[in-house]
Amino acid sequence: MWRMPRIKILLLLVIFSCICSSINATVSYDDKAIIINGRRRILMSGSIHYPRSTPEMWPDLIKKAKDGGLDVIQTYVFWNGHEPSPGKYNFEGRYDLVKFIKYIQEAGLYVHLRIGPYVCAEWNFGGFPVWLKYVPGISFRTDNGPFKIAMQGFTTKIVNMMKSAELFEPQGGPIIMSQIENEYGPVEWDIGAPGKAYSKWAAKMADGLKTGVPWIMCKQEDAPDPMIDTCNGFYCEKFTPNRPYKPKMFTELWTGWFTEFGGPIPTRPVEDIAYSVARFIQNNGSFVNYYMYHGGTNFGRTAGGLFITTSYDYDAPIDEYGLLNEPKWGHLRDLHTTIKLVEPALVSAYPTVIYPGKNQEIHVFQPKTGSCAAFLSNYDPHFSAKLMFRNVQYNLPPWSISILHDCKNEVFNTAKVKASSTQKKMTVVETFKWESYNEEAPTSDSGDGDTLSMEGLYEQLNVTRDASDYLWYLADINEHFLKNGQFPTLTVMSAGHALHVFINNQLSGTVWGSLKNPKLTFSQKVKLRAGVNKISLLSVSVGLSNVGTHYETYNVGVLGPITLKGLNEGTQDLMKHKWSYKVGLRGESLSLHTLDGSSSVEWLQGSLVAQKQPLTWYKTTFNAPEGNEPLALDMNSMGKGQIFLNGEGLGRHWPGNKAHGNCNKCSYTGIYNENKCNQYCGDPSQRWYHVPRSWLRPTGNFLVIFEEWGGNPDWITLVKRTT
Ligand code: GAL
């Protein structure tokens, strides 16, 4: 009889017990921390949103996060990316959520999965699919039957998908936490009783999905048990969870801020970020997530919240292109190394606080086990301080915290940056030869079969359903009453976001709003002729709202009034005129952004290529440059429009929108806000547009640009980004 050798039996036993312990692994929490497999943890986490980079970039981003000392990667789940039309799902490419999570697992990190499904996130429509708005009787994020059914459906789908891929921690996977809703507190406050009922329902629904890991509800003071309420902001040390048995968690520590077209580029000094982390941890905090750790790119038309740039760099520790943003990344890595050193003391004791002087504090964690950690703080924004602690004197720069890993030696001070900084450079690697095709502004009788005619003005989203940024409002005005030699004034009011006014196929002017005030008014004398005049208004949306109570009801497009003033008869009200509508551009319906589609029109070449002309499509082909440095297009000479590479949307360009604002020199000391450390005032809000390497073929790459208001394509270059 064959007998298994003893060593094999032993090995099998070990494997069996490993499997069992991973099956039994649990994630729970107490007042101190998240507990994984019976161990309390101080967890450092960072947001990386999978569709804001490419699957080819994911392993490197995750590795850099791990090398930077993170334990957890946090991401939202982007419903509108996954279910572009009802019941039609997309989990491919940049939306391959399971693949993203498996990469994180392979790297040995945990995942915090914010299912939402509302995400905010400067993402189109806050993550909700636009079709959801048109479900009969729906009202978003409140005690509303149709909404709750849809939300539960998507949340359940994601949870089941994670379960069948065995990705929750008790199954042996990396997901240690989830999130339902996102910053619902302010909305609930606004709408009262139905809001309260909805959050109770959401908590119960999520809990009922039995993921085996805790759920959080960020920025929601009354998060029902067992949901953990958590804090988002630049600082969170004063936050306390709503029950004494919940851990104190910082789910969004903003590492910078997003950029809007028309705004400067916000940055946040790393000394202040490290200070915020240390201040939170010394006050019993046990989980910090950097929002963003890698911000990435809003490819295609995914940017939302109005006027959000294609770049979502965020001044994060890893830049948009996947390169380390130094010294930010390195200084935070040093902080994380220190936090790991003191973790045993932090999870086993409550701090004793000493107040040695004005603006000074010492937090000591000294458990019975013998370890000891101390945080020495100088909150003064102007003066450095000498602090005495256990007969030793420590020198602290203003607005800084020192960490003593053994209650004796300073291993880290938040304002003493040892990591070296690096400069980034953009070097031209390719210039282009363009061909161009000009669209005519359509008219109400263009004869295109897809023009709709209606009395009065219609809201843009109702007509486009967001299939395009563009909606044409077309009217014929018969002017027999022009005053001799005088041009009337056309006034058009729009709910946003940008508007190009064409009269008889000539661009008369362009106006646009801003994130703070998307509404706009065009008011200008226009050249009308006697007889029939063609008015073609191109209304352009620049991302859909992502935040605000019932933001799904916010309007886009030309809603009036529209008037012509200065006629013989006085003023003509064009609101009740017959308007025709055309969704999208002619070039969009012909798919000019694809190689196949582009053959349907004649392109001009050489000296005939359009310059500074509105409604122009440009195309070119090029070979992939050597090397593996990240690439970008320098669009400085262009106005506004969209960029496509090999048929995929790289994003909206708008270098014609220059940064207004204040770019004063900024100090790391003192309370930070998103307007404190702006850069590039007077320059385009976004000049460079990321071209992911993996979107390129070795030869024959097809690059198409649609330019709305006119630019000079000759100056567009492909650049590589190096350190
Ligand atoms: C938070 C929100 C995030 C993001 C952030 C600003 O309030 O939860 O999703 O929008 O603001 O970048």
Side-chain angles (χ1 to χ4, degrees):
M1 195 174 76
W2 179 81
R3 291 180 65 180
M4 192 182 277
R6 271 176 88 119
I7 181 81
K8 276 205 175 157
I9 296 176
L10 262 178
L11 208 69
L12 276 181
L13 276 174
V14 169
I15 292 171
F16 184 69
S17 73
C18 286
I19 292 170
C20 279
S21 72
S22 75
I23 287 170
N24 293 330
T26 52
V27 185
S28 60
Y29 61 80
D30 64 9
D31 65 320
K32 262 273 154 205
I34 294 288
I35 303 169
I36 307 175
N37 289 320
R39 213 179 124 206
R40 284 183 184 145
R41 295 298 314 274
I42 302 292
L43 294 168
M44 303 307 300
S45 168
S47 292
I48 301 179
H49 295 158
Y50 51 98
R52 284 178 154 142
S53 54
T54 59
E56 291 76 9
M57 290 169 72
W58 294 343
D60 183 57
L61 295 174
I62 294 163
K63 180 173 185 303
K64 284 172 171 153
K66 185 177 184 178
D67 294 347
L70 295 193
D71 310 292
V72 184
I73 304 290
Q74 185 202 69
T75 182
Y76 285 123
V77 177
F78 298 87
W79 187 355
N80 52 11
H82 291 303
E83 198 178 351
S85 49
K88 294 232 159 61
Y89 291 99
N90 171 22
F91 289 94
E92 304 285 309
R94 285 186 290 125
Y95 291 95
D96 194 340
L97 176 59
V98 168
K99 185 183 217 168
F100 180 67
I101 296 179
K102 286 197 165 158
Y103 278 145
I104 301 173
Q105 181 175 28
E106 280 162 26
L109 299 181
Y110 294 123
V111 172
H112 178 201
L113 192 67
R114 303 171 93 187
I115 300 178
Y118 169 66
V119 301
C120 194
E122 292 69 68
W123 191 259
N124 199 40
F125 220 35
F128 289 131
V130 172
W131 55 258
L132 193 67
K133 172 175 171 167
Y134 299 97
V135 169
I138 208 160
S139 184
F140 286 8
R141 304 179 73 203
T142 186
D143 191 16
N144 167 276
F147 180 76
K148 290 193 294 187
I149 290 172
M151 167 163 167
Q152 178 162 8
F154 182 72
T155 308
T156 309
K157 173 155 185 100
I158 295 298
V159 166
N160 288 344
M161 184 178 243
M162 298 302 114
K163 279 186 185 168
S164 41
E166 309 203 313
L167 293 176
F168 285 108
E169 207 277 347
Q171 303 175 286
I175 305 173
I176 53 162
M177 261 189 306
S178 288
Q179 171 174 303
I180 196 76
E181 255 297 340
N182 186 76
E183 297 195 332
Y184 191 66
V187 178
E188 186 182 304
W189 177 258
D190 239 23
I191 67 176
K196 277 200 176 312
Y198 165 70
S199 48
K200 277 207 184 107
W201 167 84
K204 205 165 161 217
M205 184 270 284
D207 191 40
L209 294 173
K210 302 284 168 232
T211 59
V213 301
W215 289 88
I216 66 130
M217 286 178 121
C218 66
K219 208 159 152 183
Q220 189 169 347
E221 279 169 23
D222 65 352
D225 278 5
M227 308 284 124
I228 310 170
D229 59 319
T230 65
C231 183
N232 296 345
F234 291 113
Y235 310 95
C236 276
E237 65 272 1
K238 300 214 170 85
F239 166 82
T240 42
N242 64 14
R243 295 277 180 278
Y245 42 82
K246 294 181 185 176
K248 173 167 167 170
M249 296 176 37
F250 198 161
T251 31
E252 286 181 27
L253 188 161
W254 301 321
T255 51
W257 200 244
F258 55 82
T259 305
E260 60 179 277
F261 284 121
I265 298 181
T267 64
R268 184 175 183 192
V270 69
E271 295 91 331
D272 184 57
I273 298 174
Y275 172 88
S276 173
V277 173
R279 208 165 160 174
F280 183 73
I281 301 274
Q282 72 177 4
N283 279 298
N284 223 24
S286 57
F287 176 97
V288 175
N289 175 73
Y290 298 104
Y291 186 103
M292 300 296 295
Y293 195 74
H294 168 256
T297 310
N298 295 314
F299 293 113
R301 299 170 56 241
T302 57
L306 315 172
F307 297 90
I308 300 298
T309 54
T310 295
S311 169
Y312 198 63
D313 181 82
Y314 222 89
D315 196 25
I318 304 177
D319 79 7
E320 176 180 7
Y321 298 87
L323 300 178
L324 300 183
N325 178 11
E326 294 286 34
K328 195 172 261 192
W329 180 88
H331 190 51
L332 295 177
R333 174 207 51 207
D334 296 346
L335 168 63
H336 305 150
T337 309
T338 309
I339 289 175
K340 286 277 163 301
L341 281 178
V342 296
E343 185 179 5
L346 298 183
V347 294
S348 328
Y350 296 97
T352 312
V353 188
I354 308 163
Y355 301 91
K358 192 173 167 237
N359 285 328
Q360 297 172 0
E361 275 176 23
I362 299 175
H363 294 239
V364 188
F365 295 81
Q366 189 156 23
K368 292 198 183 85
T369 52
S371 58
C372 183
F375 289 65
L376 278 48
S377 318
N378 173 20
Y379 304 143
D380 196 295
H382 305 293
F383 300 106
S384 51
K386 293 186 194 317
L387 255 75
M388 286 299 289
F389 174 58
R390 298 189 177 171
N391 299 324
V392 181
Q393 181 180 294
Y394 298 87
N395 294 323
L396 271 81
W399 199 256
S400 81
I401 298 177
S402 289
I403 304 176
L404 320 183
H405 70 297
D406 52 1
C407 285
K408 277 196 205 88
N409 296 295
E410 175 188 300
V411 273
F412 184 85
N413 175 279
T414 56
K416 297 178 188 165
V417 179
K418 296 194 179 124
S420 42
S421 38
T422 52
Q423 286 288 318
K424 301 282 178 1
K425 219 170 68 184
M426 298 296 212
T427 319
V428 177
V429 290
E430 187 83 43
T431 56
F432 304 106
K433 261 206 165 53
W434 297 95
E435 298 179 27
S436 71
Y437 164 77
N438 261 90
E439 297 209 2
E440 299 252 305
T443 56
S444 55
D445 55 0
S446 291
D448 292 351
D450 52 356
T451 312
L452 323 159
S453 280
M454 298 184 265
E455 291 284 315
L457 295 170
Y458 279 77
E459 196 274 335
Q460 180 158 339
L461 197 54
N462 274 316
V463 186
T464 64
R465 302 285 161 112
D466 205 34
S468 166
D469 277 2
Y470 304 100
L471 179 64
W472 287 101
Y473 291 72
L474 310 166
D476 284 354
I477 312 285
N478 205 332
E479 272 331 322
H480 344 262
F481 302 115
L482 286 179
K483 276 189 182 170
N484 245 353
Q486 285 186 24
F487 293 126
T489 301
L490 174 68
T491 302
V492 182
M493 307 220 349
S494 163
H497 309 138
L499 181 73
H500 306 288
V501 176
F502 292 83
I503 308 284
N504 300 321
N505 198 31
Q506 292 299 311
L507 181 61
S508 291
T510 290
V511 275
W512 63 87
S514 66
L515 173 55
K516 273 207 191 78
N517 186 12
K519 290 193 179 145
L520 54 94
T521 304
F522 171 92
S523 192
Q524 212 173 288
K525 283 201 184 331
V526 287
K527 286 191 196 164
L528 295 191
R529 54 191 179 211
V532 178
N533 290 274
K534 305 279 179 193
I535 299 193
S536 312
L537 308 176
L538 180 57
S539 178
V540 191
S541 60
V542 192
L544 301 178
S545 289
N546 68 326
V547 64
T549 302
H550 289 302
Y551 68 83
E552 79 273 21
T553 62
Y554 296 0
N555 291 329
V556 188
V558 180
L559 294 172
I562 308 187
T563 55
L564 261 182
K565 252 190 208 140
L567 305 168
N568 275 332
E569 60 185 312
T571 300
Q572 201 178 344
D573 175 7
L574 299 182
M575 283 278 280
K576 296 190 186 76
H577 204 81
K578 182 172 150 231
W579 286 90
S580 304
Y581 294 83
K582 192 170 160 39
V583 174
L585 306 162
R586 181 170 149 80
E588 284 179 311
S589 58
L590 295 172
S591 293
L592 293 188
H593 66 293
T594 66
L595 201 53
D596 277 357
S598 70
S599 61
S600 57
V601 298
E602 293 256 335
W603 296 79
L604 299 178
Q605 299 175 344
S607 61
L608 297 177
V609 170
Q611 292 260 356
K612 302 247 171 239
Q613 275 191 52
L615 304 186
T616 306
W617 294 81
Y618 293 101
K619 69 162 185 166
T620 190
T621 50
F622 67 98
N623 297 338
E626 305 266 291
N628 55 9
E629 303 89 351
L631 301 170
L633 286 170
D634 182 349
M635 298 290 289
N636 208 14
S637 61
M638 301 303 281
K640 178 183 188 307
Q642 289 180 26
I643 315 171
F644 305 90
L645 176 63
N646 294 330
E648 291 245 19
L650 280 177
R652 300 185 180 99
H653 70 269
W654 198 353
N657 203 344
K658 304 281 190 290
H660 301 285
N662 219 330
C663 285
N664 294 335
K665 203 171 170 317
C666 107
S667 151
Y668 79 85
T669 67
I671 300 280
Y672 177 83
N673 68 58
E674 69 276 23
N675 298 313
K676 190 176 164 191
C677 300
N678 287 332
Q679 292 183 352
Y680 298 102
C681 289
D683 287 342
S685 299
Q686 187 177 350
R687 172 173 173 181
W688 289 285
Y689 295 78
H690 182 201
V691 175
R693 278 269 178 190
S694 61
W695 289 21
L696 291 177
R697 307 186 273 255
T699 58
N701 293 290
F702 187 57
L703 179 62
V704 173
I705 288 165
F706 173 66
E707 173 58 43
E708 288 168 27
W709 73 21
N712 181 350
D714 291 343
W715 293 100
I716 299 175
T717 55
L718 186 69
V719 300
K720 65 176 181 187
R721 185 169 171 85
T722 49
T723 306

